[in-house]
Amino acid sequence: METERELLYAIRDGEPQAMRRLYDRFSGYAMAISLRYVSERDDARDVAQDGFVKIIDSIDKFDYRGEGSLKRWVARIITNAAIDWVKASERMHQTFEQPDVLPDEADEGPPDIEEAPPDILNKMIGQLPLGCRVVLNLYVFERLSHVEIARRLGIQPGTSASQLSYAKRLLRKMIKEYLDSQRI
């Protein structure tokens, strides 16, 4: 398989199919990232495509820092495209409002994500309210602090923390229901 460095050299040398290989290599990954933030498949596809336009437009500015750095860069651009989509969506104003109904249980730490298969867990994350889903992804996958999340989303750090807490409670409940249904 072609290394990231070889692919970048081919792109920068103007090789006709190099951009297509870049897209083929990372499009599934980009779609998976988009779906973490945007639950509707068509919207997620739009986010991934917008991200790829940005990737292609700025590939000349990418600074290669070893194998895996291109993949991390692609992930960052797709994540930013997803956040831009969330901010621009009409639902943005309602996204970070406190939910009317909270799960009954107290926040008892992280949910048992190892217990649910990855595809089921991804579906569960996709079912979270938008604000919870965005904060969870930024906190878990991007490893941002609540202060950084607040800055990126234009919310308060406390709102970020409460959205994460609510997301964890919802996930814990969904995982428990899933596991209970598998025992039947």
Side-chain angles (χ1 to χ4, degrees):
M1 179 176 201
E2 183 177 40
T3 67
E4 287 181 357
R5 178 177 286 218
E6 291 166 340
L7 179 57
L8 283 167
Y9 282 140
I11 290 168
R12 289 180 177 157
D13 287 344
E15 187 181 314
Q17 291 299 314
M19 285 292 194
R20 179 64 190 189
R21 291 196 309 272
L22 174 77
Y23 180 81
D24 289 345
R25 183 170 183 168
F26 293 112
S27 62
Y29 180 61
M31 186 64 176
I33 292 169
S34 297
L35 283 167
R36 284 197 325 237
Y37 292 90
V38 181
S39 60
E40 295 295 323
R41 197 170 238 348
D42 289 340
D43 292 334
R45 190 174 296 118
D46 290 345
V47 166
Q49 292 301 327
D50 289 347
F52 263 99
V53 168
K54 292 173 185 171
I55 289 166
I56 290 167
D57 286 347
S58 59
I59 193 79
D60 293 344
K61 298 172 188 150
F62 172 70
D63 183 25
Y64 180 77
R65 295 182 181 182
E67 197 65 24
S69 62
L70 180 60
K71 185 175 184 178
R72 286 188 301 276
W73 183 70
V74 166
R76 188 170 51 249
I77 290 176
I78 298 298
T79 297
N80 289 339
I83 291 169
D84 290 346
W85 181 89
V86 168
K87 285 180 170 180
S89 81
E90 292 178 16
R91 296 174 287 174
M92 182 62 189
H93 300 292
Q94 300 168 352
T95 298
F96 297 103
E97 290 179 0
Q98 283 296 76
D100 293 333
V101 179
L102 293 171
D104 291 336
E105 65 183 72
D107 191 0
E108 300 171 4
D112 293 328
I113 58 173
E114 308 85 34
E115 300 293 325
D119 60 324
I120 299 295
L121 185 60
N122 284 335
K123 286 180 184 174
M124 290 175 187
I125 291 171
Q127 293 171 359
L128 292 172
L130 183 58
C132 292
R133 186 171 59 243
V134 171
V135 169
L136 176 80
N137 280 300
L138 291 173
Y139 189 83
V140 172
F141 295 106
E142 302 302 318
R143 299 177 187 211
L144 298 181
S145 70
H146 290 298
V147 171
E148 293 167 317
I149 293 169
R151 192 173 323 125
R152 284 189 73 183
L153 298 176
I155 60 175
Q156 295 297 314
T159 302
S160 174
S162 68
Q163 291 289 315
L164 178 63
S165 177
Y166 184 53
K168 290 189 317 188
R169 285 184 277 170
L170 287 174
L171 274 178
R172 189 178 310 105
K173 180 180 179 204
M174 285 188 261
I175 291 170
K176 182 183 180 317
E177 289 171 357
Y178 169 78
L179 293 174
D180 288 348
S181 74
Q182 297 303 301
R183 291 185 186 117
I184 295 175

